[in-house]
Amino acid sequence: MNKISFNYSKLLLPGILLAILVVLATLPLYGSNYSIVLLTSIIMYVILTVSWALFSGSTGYISLATAAFFGVGIYTSAILGRTFTASILANEYFVVFIVIIGGLISACLAFIVGAITLRLRGIYFAIFTFGLVELIKNLLLWYEVKFTGTRGRFVVVIGNETIYYVILGILLLLLLVTYFIRRSRYGLALESIGEHEEAAAHIGINVTMVKVIIFAISAVFVGMTGSIMAMRWTYIDPYISFDPNLTFLPVLMAIFGGTRQMYGPIIGAVVFAYLEEILLTRFPYYYMLIFGIVLAATILYLPNGLVGVVQKIIARLAGGKHAHSRG
Amino acid sequence: MHILEGERVTKYFGGLAAVSEVSFQVDPGEVVGLIGPNGAGKTTLFNLISASLVPNSGVIRFKGKNITGMAPYHICRMGIGRTFQTVKIFPNLSVMENVRIGALFGCGGRISATEATRKAEELLEFVGLPQVSSTPAGSLTFANQKKLEVARALATQPEVLLLDEIMAGLNQTEIGQAMELVNRIRQSGVTIVMIEHVMKAIMNICDRIMVLHHGRKIAEGTPSEIAKSETVIEIYLGEANAAG
Amino acid sequence: MLTSILDVLIAGLLLGGLYALIAMGLSLQYGVARVFNISHGEFIMLGGMATLTLFTVFKINPLIAIVICGPITFVLGYIIHRTFFRHLLTSLPIFGEITILCTLFLWTVFRILADYNYVRLNQFAALAICLVIAIILDFALNRTAFRRIHESRVAAGVFESTSMLFSFGLMFIIKNIAFIGWGPSIRSYSFLQQPVSIAGALFGMNRLVTLGFSILIGLAFYFFLTRTRIGKAIRAAASDPTVAQLMGVNINQVLALCFGLGAAMAGIAGVLISMCYPVNANMGIEYTIIAIIVVALGGLGSIPGSFIGGFALGIIGSIVSFFEPGLALVAYYFIFGLLLLIRPKGILGK
């Protein structure tokens, strides 16, 4: 019974995923401009949430640095965009180039942070990453006031459709990378670290290295997303770029969805990103308040998130049928 | 040449010496027993060898090479496997994956996924756990979790295997099975160092026994020598009798 | 030159007193109750904003506000620990938590619907209705679904991460209630601002009052821990919860007490902060970061370490600000990073 339902879901999920991707890819052909903007923002949250869960979901090391990597991406994009003129930017390959650079710089930052903190207990990692976004914000503010004399800078803006396709590309890449990491020996290593780090080290896993590298990989996608999203705003400054909420929201979304499965964070992100779209502009504080309440309730009552509940119900239904057929 | 040796190995916790100036040699193919009362420093010595802890002074050599201060994963890949006093399997991974992961990461070189699976199946069979390979490891019985941990350690292809109380908490039948397993591991050519409180097992299996007390090595010899030693009877067996 | 050095040092001490107070509260919550409380700064914000309201609306002296805000934040922290964190610790739902969460949720939904004009109801009536529904739900769940759940202590490592994530949720809840109540504007009031001269340098009276109170509370707390029965129970619980329980310490009570005391210290720190600096509903996170760095600097969970670490960081901050005003936080971080590389245990860590 167990085996049958396993195979079934194995076929079903990639199928659904493929169908969704086809719809998403063709959306600009028939969708409204609003739907593209809305989906861009939802996809952004999905990327941030899935990247967070890629590392933190399996290892249990709670990263609070998402906003920092995102901000680094934004600034990379702003600086490079200014350096090259708008005419070059019209070339879409160049946009992709900037996005890749943004991702790589974020990964370097993650690598350094990981090398300092991931040798230590998880709590130090959480503490260190918690303040990272404020640190970079403060450094940039100081630099801008002292050396350029102005706060913030203008970004070269490109079309919504280009942004949409690039961000969809990042999402696709992320999902592929996550899928293959989870299936590979490194995915197994990550899970073993989450379950018993000491035992993992004693069966030959270079635990620090695995953690640092996967953390850096997860930062690539956050940085890339920051780089492309920057091109949607005309003006950015350290306060806009390094918004701590972009750390908190993905964590909450992932936990709400459930981190044990790959699609848990996706569902969490879609639900809340959509809710944000409805509520944020009119009720910013109520939206955040609901967020806090839902997070609190999830941690208290649904330790495996929404997906955990669904799985439990499915297991119970399947188990019930099984018992019935046997009886 | 000794396969594993320690020279005046010392470890302090705060001001207390948990292991004090302990020297030891293990020859290839031997089964060495490590006994002593609780708190004698046996597990600490294992932790020092497998690099969970770094000694304050002293040198540990493996096949003549100084391995003091190396990282745990490195020690494992060189050929020293271990189990833990309190079972540390990966409860949410399947039984199969628990062993496969040892095979994938524990050997020095790279090994393909199919090869790792094949080896894991072989080892599960070897320790007597073949039929349960897809269930999560956390749902196994205690005795089977201990077997699984041995299989996982063996998957890393150790030349020396450190077994930390694999028989504690087992019933008489299970102890018999475990003893038989240790013998088979030895026949496969792996050198074994084992901490054990089950005297029957120690006396039957080991070629040589070391006795630790308050972090010092107070005696060493064949099982029959140890059984006759006045000091050992006094501090160790005497205590066991008093307790029992 | 000499006066400017003295200037910087005294300013550092004044800042350090606040840091020490904030960090001691967090240290108590982490060291004993094992909650790495990310919402710590929100209690500071509550203290600050409440004092501002008391002063500007009710004309209540901020020094008296200490006596009001301290106990209120204490009770708040105590209740939060007795319900939510105890649930996370023992995996047993506790009557009251659904009431709190559900009331908040329903009230939020009501406010949103009211804004769209779907519902027309007096606010207080609505709140009462929400409360009644929540209590009924709480009661029903506790009589049915929750009855089958058995108490089981959660592993320390698991509790450390779930409690930290929960404090996240708490941060969102408290902060946004404050935003709804007080709005986002940055406000300040003037109180005891007459200058006092120390060794030629001029300082506001309010700054000196805050330093005095920080030291006073620090010392009072030290004596509370070392001399009183409850204090000894707290220390026993901090070093070994299981043994403390065997010795007859009501561990749940002590943990809740510690969490409450930590929250009270944050609340009082908030009162003191509002005397010197402008406050707003968004101020919490900045102080949380500082508290976290001080706590790590002093050694995770070491209360004397936090006290010393607070003053150390205050003086460093003051020196750095003297040369480059924008770089204080960057300097704290730099020290933090260095600490993690050299001595992760912190100054007084074991």
Side-chain angles (χ1 to χ4, degrees):
Chain A
M1 190 66 211
N2 218 343
K3 202 152 196 175
I4 292 167
S5 66
F6 180 60
N7 282 340
Y8 175 66
S9 67
K10 215 176 179 181
L11 274 177
L12 187 71
L13 275 169
I16 294 175
L17 220 61
L18 199 72
I20 293 175
L21 278 174
V22 169
V23 171
L24 285 178
T26 51
L27 185 86
L29 300 178
Y30 50 82
S32 67
N33 200 27
Y34 170 75
S35 67
I36 292 172
V37 172
L38 170 67
L39 268 167
T40 304
S41 124
I42 290 177
I43 292 173
M44 176 189 93
Y45 278 116
V46 172
I47 293 172
L48 300 188
T49 308
V50 172
S51 331
W52 182 84
L54 169 63
F55 176 73
S56 298
S58 41
T59 59
Y61 279 77
I62 295 163
S63 159
L64 302 175
T66 306
F69 302 139
F70 193 79
V72 166
I74 291 179
Y75 257 76
T76 309
S77 179
I79 291 166
L80 289 180
R82 280 277 102 178
T83 318
F84 307 106
T85 59
S87 58
I88 297 179
L89 258 181
N91 185 337
E92 281 163 18
Y93 294 112
F94 219 82
V95 173
V96 174
F97 170 75
I98 288 179
V99 165
I100 289 171
I101 299 284
L104 290 180
I105 292 178
S106 285
C108 291
L109 178 66
F111 191 87
I112 295 168
V113 170
I116 296 176
T117 53
L118 284 171
R119 315 168 285 130
L120 307 167
R121 273 172 54 214
I123 194 87
Y124 288 99
F125 176 68
I127 295 173
F128 195 84
T129 51
F130 183 65
L132 196 65
V133 65
E134 292 293 320
L135 167 74
I136 300 176
K137 187 204 287 175
N138 273 277
L139 257 178
L140 275 174
L141 277 172
W142 171 78
Y143 177 85
E144 288 191 342
V145 170
K146 181 136 180 134
F147 294 99
T148 59
T150 53
R151 204 182 83 192
R153 48 188 74 222
F154 289 95
V155 189
V156 178
V157 178
I158 60 172
N160 281 338
E161 226 168 89
T162 316
I163 292 177
Y164 176 76
Y165 274 117
V166 171
I167 207 163
L168 192 61
I170 298 172
L171 175 68
L172 209 63
L173 195 65
L174 170 65
L175 291 181
L176 282 175
V177 167
T178 309
Y179 180 73
F180 283 112
I181 286 180
R182 285 184 86 116
R183 278 185 49 122
S184 77
R185 63 183 73 197
Y186 296 102
L188 213 52
L190 279 178
E191 275 187 67
S192 73
I193 289 169
E195 303 214 335
H196 248 310
E197 184 160 354
E198 193 191 353
H202 283 289
I203 54 167
I205 299 171
N206 187 348
V207 284
T208 309
M209 183 76 103
V210 170
K211 284 184 289 184
V212 172
I213 288 178
I214 303 289
F215 183 52
I217 289 177
S218 76
V220 169
F221 301 98
V222 180
M224 285 166 102
T225 311
S227 297
I228 190 68
M229 291 305 281
M231 297 179 196
R232 211 168 71 154
W233 299 312
T234 35
Y235 168 84
I236 56 130
D237 72 4
Y239 287 102
I240 299 170
S241 312
F242 294 87
D243 173 8
N245 278 338
L246 281 183
T247 288
F248 304 143
L249 299 184
V251 177
L252 311 190
M253 288 166 176
I255 287 170
F256 173 70
T259 54
R260 299 290 300 271
Q261 300 291 329
M262 191 172 150
Y263 50 93
I266 300 180
I267 294 172
V270 170
V271 169
F272 272 97
Y274 186 67
L275 207 60
E276 172 181 303
E277 198 58 35
I278 315 171
L279 293 179
L280 189 66
T281 38
R282 193 154 173 187
F283 310 99
Y285 308 132
Y286 289 109
Y287 165 69
M288 293 290 190
L289 182 58
I290 288 179
F291 222 134
I293 297 166
V294 170
L295 176 77
T298 309
I299 293 169
L300 287 173
Y301 307 108
L302 319 171
N304 292 325
L306 206 58
V307 168
V309 178
V310 172
Q311 277 180 334
K312 218 175 199 173
I313 292 169
I314 291 173
R316 188 165 291 175
L317 288 178
K321 259 191 237 160
H322 188 57
H324 188 73
S325 68
R326 231 183 10 187
Chain B
M1 192 179 63
H2 306 298
I3 189 162
L4 182 68
E5 59 183 322
E7 211 179 284
R8 301 166 71 87
V9 179
T10 303
K11 177 69 190 178
Y12 288 100
F13 289 133
L16 207 74
V19 169
S20 173
E21 307 242 315
V22 171
S23 298
F24 58 89
Q25 292 86 31
V26 178
D27 290 321
E30 262 192 316
V31 177
V32 176
L34 193 56
I35 64 172
N38 288 327
K42 303 178 300 275
T43 297
T44 308
L45 188 60
F46 266 23
N47 286 340
L48 290 168
I49 297 172
S50 64
S52 273
L53 297 169
V54 180
N56 294 93
S57 66
V59 179
I60 298 165
R61 288 193 199 87
F62 177 64
K63 297 201 279 188
K65 204 178 160 215
N66 186 349
I67 57 166
T68 334
M70 281 184 177
Y73 79 93
H74 201 166
I75 303 267
C76 169
R77 288 183 189 174
M78 284 182 78
I80 301 178
R82 75 168 292 181
T83 67
F84 297 89
Q85 192 175 6
T86 48
V87 179
K88 286 183 179 159
I89 50 158
F90 307 125
N92 290 317
L93 295 185
S94 75
V95 171
M96 182 66 171
E97 280 171 325
N98 264 273
V99 186
R100 268 190 75 215
I101 193 169
L104 285 169
F105 286 92
C107 323
R110 275 184 77 88
I111 145 170
S112 77
T114 40
E115 205 177 326
T117 310
R118 193 185 47 75
K119 212 167 117 188
E121 275 166 359
E122 224 174 79
L123 280 167
L124 284 172
E125 181 95 44
F126 182 78
V127 299
L129 287 170
Q131 68 279 35
V132 287
S133 63
S134 64
T135 51
S139 62
L140 291 181
T141 63
F142 183 64
N144 282 347
Q145 291 191 2
K146 292 216 154 189
K147 283 183 193 167
L148 178 62
E149 219 188 2
V150 174
R152 188 179 68 187
L154 285 173
T156 68
Q157 292 186 330
E159 287 175 57
V160 175
L161 182 61
L162 311 176
L163 298 174
D164 197 345
E165 294 201 30
I166 54 162
M167 296 174 202
L170 302 190
N171 64 31
Q172 285 304 319
T173 350
E174 289 163 348
I175 287 177
Q177 287 174 355
M179 281 168 66
E180 188 253 348
L181 177 61
V182 173
N183 269 323
R184 277 191 289 133
I185 296 171
R186 154 203 237 167
Q187 276 154 22
S188 71
V190 178
T191 310
I192 295 171
V193 182
M194 56 192 289
I195 295 174
E196 200 52 70
H197 281 301
V198 178
M199 272 304 148
K200 183 179 79 180
I202 283 281
M203 291 300 166
N204 282 325
I205 303 173
C206 296
D207 300 312
R208 206 149 51 80
I209 294 173
M210 294 196 290
V211 187
L212 286 188
H213 187 49
H214 292 318
R216 294 181 176 278
K217 190 167 86 174
I218 57 155
E220 186 172 359
T222 62
S224 52
E225 281 166 11
I226 292 296
K228 278 181 238 147
S229 160
E230 292 283 329
T231 33
V232 175
I233 292 169
E234 196 177 313
I235 66 122
Y236 185 66
L237 300 176
E239 200 168 284
N241 286 341
Chain C
M1 183 61 202
L2 194 69
T3 42
S4 69
I5 290 176
L6 210 66
D7 234 33
V8 169
L9 278 183
I10 293 171
L13 279 180
L14 295 176
L15 196 63
L18 275 179
Y19 287 2
L21 189 60
I22 295 167
M24 278 195 310
L26 184 64
S27 197
L28 188 64
Q29 291 177 338
Y30 182 68
V32 187
R34 299 279 157 210
V35 177
F36 204 87
N37 184 15
I38 288 178
S39 66
H40 192 61
E42 307 315 315
F43 289 88
I44 298 173
M45 178 272 294
L46 282 182
M49 295 304 283
T51 309
L52 182 112
T53 308
L54 288 174
F55 185 73
T56 50
V57 179
F58 301 102
K59 308 282 176 237
I60 291 173
N61 187 319
L63 291 175
I64 295 169
I66 291 178
V67 193
I68 301 170
C69 292
I72 290 177
T73 40
F74 172 81
V75 170
L76 203 59
Y78 184 85
I79 291 174
I80 287 171
H81 194 281
R82 267 312 281 265
T83 51
F84 304 119
F85 287 109
R86 186 156 156 203
H87 175 175
L88 291 175
L89 200 58
T90 59
S91 60
L92 193 69
I94 287 162
F95 185 78
E97 31 174 73
I98 295 208
T99 309
I100 298 171
L101 290 178
C102 191
T103 309
L104 279 174
F105 185 80
L106 291 175
W107 181 70
T108 312
V109 172
F110 159 75
R111 291 294 297 258
I112 291 171
L113 292 180
D115 199 81
Y116 280 116
N117 271 328
Y118 289 137
V119 207
R120 275 159 221 244
L121 206 61
N122 178 294
Q123 268 204 55
F124 295 100
L127 193 61
I129 293 171
C130 294
L131 193 65
V132 170
I133 296 174
I135 289 175
I136 291 170
L137 185 71
D138 200 348
F139 194 72
L141 279 170
N142 271 289
R143 290 307 284 280
T144 56
F146 293 165
R147 287 192 89 166
R148 274 177 280 149
I149 301 172
H150 297 290
E151 179 167 340
S152 63
R153 287 245 157 209
V154 171
V158 175
F159 180 70
E160 192 166 282
S161 64
T162 52
S163 63
M164 186 172 86
L165 288 172
F166 187 85
S167 72
F168 239 149
L170 215 53
M171 177 184 88
F172 266 69
I173 294 173
I174 299 175
K175 184 157 104 178
N176 288 293
I177 291 176
F179 266 120
I180 292 165
W182 282 300
S185 62
I186 297 172
R187 288 183 280 177
S188 62
Y189 59 91
S190 57
F191 172 70
L192 287 180
Q193 277 180 336
Q194 60 270 40
V196 177
S197 158
I198 305 170
L202 290 179
F203 292 97
M205 185 67 189
N206 48 5
R207 305 288 294 271
L208 295 176
V209 169
T210 57
L211 178 66
F213 268 98
S214 306
I215 293 176
L216 202 70
I217 291 165
L219 286 178
F221 187 62
Y222 178 77
F223 284 113
F224 168 72
L225 278 186
T226 49
R227 298 290 155 84
T228 64
R229 235 181 93 82
I230 305 173
K232 283 173 186 160
I234 289 176
R235 277 162 58 219
S239 59
D240 193 333
T242 337
V243 174
Q245 201 160 16
L246 289 175
M247 308 297 279
V249 173
N250 182 348
I251 195 80
N252 288 327
Q253 197 71 23
V254 166
L255 298 184
L257 205 67
C258 285
F259 196 83
L261 278 175
M265 282 177 155
I268 293 172
V271 176
L272 297 176
I273 286 169
S274 75
M275 292 182 197
C276 312
Y277 304 99
V279 290
N280 79 328
N282 209 14
M283 68 192 262
I285 190 163
E286 182 190 330
Y287 288 101
T288 307
I289 291 175
I290 288 171
I292 283 175
I293 294 179
V294 174
V295 166
L297 195 68
L300 284 185
S302 160
I303 292 161
S306 300
F307 194 73
I308 298 167
F311 280 101
L313 210 65
I315 289 169
I316 293 166
S318 163
I319 294 170
V320 172
S321 302
F322 180 74
F323 295 107
E324 281 295 345
L327 284 185
L329 190 81
V330 177
Y332 300 160
Y333 231 79
F334 182 71
I335 291 165
F336 186 30
L338 216 60
L339 182 85
L340 290 183
L341 286 173
I342 301 164
R343 190 181 159 80
K345 286 180 259 178
I347 300 171
L348 291 186
K350 278 165 268 173

